[in-house]
Amino acid sequence: MTFFTTSCAVYPKRVLLSMLFLILLGCGVDEAQEPASETDRSLSPRQQANIEREKLASVESQLEQIERDVLAAVRAGDRIRAKQLIDVGLRIVEERGPGFELNQARLILAAGNIEREAGNEIEARRHFDDAMAIFHVHKDKKGRVETYIALGQLETRRGDYVAASRQFAAAEALMPELADRRLPGVFNLNIGRLASRQLKREQAYKHYVEAIRIFSNSKDKQDMAETLLLLASEEDAMGRTRASKRSIEKALRVFRNIEDMDGEARSLHRLAVLAERDKNYGRAKKLLLKVHDLYDKLDRKTAATRVMRHINALPVEK
């Protein structure tokens, strides 16, 4: 099944070249469908089985790389690129046949997450249901937990907090059976978001702190930095301005360490807003100029223009 229809006309040249490269990488697998050569016929059944396993491992490795590239594209805010990569991966699964169902399910789950963030609730739910069905058949508990969390995010976004709580409870029930170090952090992060939407500040604060601890232990710097920004928002809402500033500064250091310019820009912007609120307009302007330069480097013209308007609207210090 193909979940995104594409045509050469909608792809930029660099994406077409990338897709062609991926297809060429997989060409070796097609050789298995050609008539066996004299050399193939001379191999023992064990040798032939080893060759087939190597070919399958090569395709699985290729699909796993696509999954990582999809995540990177989503984090960079490039949903179009992420969708194109997902489509490439699903085409490979379709062409190679049985054996890659879990790769397919993870790609479908990623597609659902993208549709959810785009506000396409019906499409997102359809993808989540398809992914969950595959994970159930293959008894993949980690995949089921990730899908329950994704459904909980969808319900949180819709404002149905009771339904969201049910999805998160289903994820929590399976969590003790997993040896995954990162997933409990993702779980606490999303429970924190749910609590924040319900204005349960202390509860959200506690879950964010726990998520940060888990991400720190599992070396997930990106997730830790993103959660620090969420924690800062809760601290600010609770009147803990100094703590909020410290959390943003910690996030800024992590983003710089992993060379995430988008995260760096968002952190600096948050610090600029705090400086402006304290009527420290000179510092706010310096920080906003740095934000503008980062968005300029990222070719985020709309964001850069918005920041420049903010700079021009600042009061002039006497």
Side-chain angles (χ1 to χ4, degrees):
M1 179 185 295
T2 300
F3 292 87
F4 293 100
T5 56
T6 59
S7 68
C8 293
V10 298
Y11 285 148
K13 186 176 180 181
R14 62 182 178 83
V15 175
L16 286 170
L17 290 173
S18 175
M19 291 170 65
L20 179 59
F21 175 68
L22 288 169
I23 293 167
L24 289 174
L25 278 178
C27 286
V29 181
D30 291 334
E31 293 169 4
Q33 301 170 358
E34 296 175 359
S37 65
E38 290 296 328
T39 304
D40 292 336
R41 284 194 288 268
S42 67
L43 295 174
S44 69
R46 178 176 292 182
Q47 288 173 319
Q48 290 178 358
N50 286 339
I51 290 172
E52 288 305 313
R53 275 195 294 271
E54 288 174 6
K55 289 176 178 178
L56 290 174
S58 175
V59 176
E60 186 168 12
S61 176
Q62 183 182 346
L63 289 168
E64 288 172 354
Q65 182 58 54
I66 290 174
E67 290 171 31
R68 288 191 290 271
D69 291 343
V70 168
L71 179 60
V74 169
R75 282 178 165 170
D78 193 346
R79 292 177 187 169
I80 294 175
R81 171 72 172 155
K83 281 188 174 186
Q84 291 166 346
L85 286 165
I86 289 170
D87 196 41
V88 170
L90 291 173
R91 286 180 185 277
I92 291 171
V93 169
E94 185 178 22
E95 290 166 4
R96 300 302 179 248
F100 305 104
E101 289 84 359
L102 290 177
N103 300 95
Q104 179 188 33
R106 288 192 292 269
L107 288 167
I108 294 170
L109 176 58
N113 285 329
I114 291 170
E115 295 297 339
R116 181 195 62 233
E117 294 306 307
N120 301 325
E121 178 192 330
I122 295 174
E123 279 299 296
R125 199 178 295 279
R126 181 173 69 83
H127 287 313
F128 293 149
D129 289 345
D130 288 345
M132 183 68 87
I134 298 172
F135 288 135
H136 265 296
V137 168
H138 290 271
K139 296 180 171 57
D140 189 302
K141 289 180 181 177
K142 180 181 177 182
R144 288 168 61 194
V145 168
E146 290 176 330
T147 308
Y148 280 131
I149 289 174
L151 284 163
Q153 290 173 318
L154 177 64
E155 301 298 358
T156 300
R157 188 185 183 95
R158 290 180 61 242
D160 191 339
Y161 303 138
V162 173
S165 296
R166 282 200 299 267
Q167 299 293 352
F168 289 137
E172 187 176 22
L174 291 173
M175 204 83 71
E177 302 175 39
L178 301 177
D180 192 283
R181 295 178 65 192
R182 177 177 172 270
L183 265 182
V186 175
F187 174 78
N188 274 282
L189 165 60
N190 283 285
I191 289 292
R193 279 178 171 158
L194 174 60
S196 181
R197 289 285 292 268
Q198 296 173 289
L199 302 181
K200 298 177 180 179
R201 302 296 183 194
E202 288 289 349
Q203 187 178 333
Y205 175 86
K206 289 176 183 177
H207 283 292
Y208 287 148
V209 168
E210 178 62 10
I212 290 165
R213 184 191 67 79
I214 294 169
F215 290 141
S216 177
N217 290 339
S218 61
K219 310 298 183 188
D220 287 292
K221 293 182 179 180
Q222 178 90 36
D223 290 325
M224 183 174 74
E226 295 290 354
T227 312
L228 278 164
L229 290 182
L230 291 171
L231 176 66
S233 295
E234 291 306 312
E235 289 170 330
D236 191 41
M238 295 162 73
R240 303 174 186 173
T241 307
R242 288 184 181 179
S244 177
K245 183 180 178 182
R246 285 196 298 270
S247 294
I248 296 170
E249 288 171 341
K250 285 180 186 176
L252 176 61
R253 287 195 294 272
V254 177
F255 282 129
R256 281 176 172 166
N257 182 255
I258 61 177
E259 298 181 349
D260 183 335
M261 287 196 293
D262 178 75
E264 183 181 352
R266 286 184 287 119
S267 301
L268 288 169
H269 202 163
R270 294 276 294 275
L271 290 172
V273 170
L274 290 180
E276 182 182 6
R277 202 165 68 190
D278 290 339
K279 299 187 181 346
N280 190 343
Y281 302 123
R283 175 170 167 72
K285 184 175 181 178
K286 287 179 182 178
L287 290 168
L288 287 170
L289 285 170
K290 289 180 180 179
V291 175
H292 179 272
D293 289 345
L294 285 166
Y295 282 139
D296 210 32
K297 289 177 183 176
L298 289 166
D299 199 26
R300 302 268 291 278
K301 292 182 174 57
T302 303
T305 301
R306 189 164 55 245
V307 171
M308 187 53 70
R309 285 177 186 154
H310 190 169
I311 292 169
N312 293 333
L314 287 172
V316 178
E317 281 191 319
K318 295 179 181 179

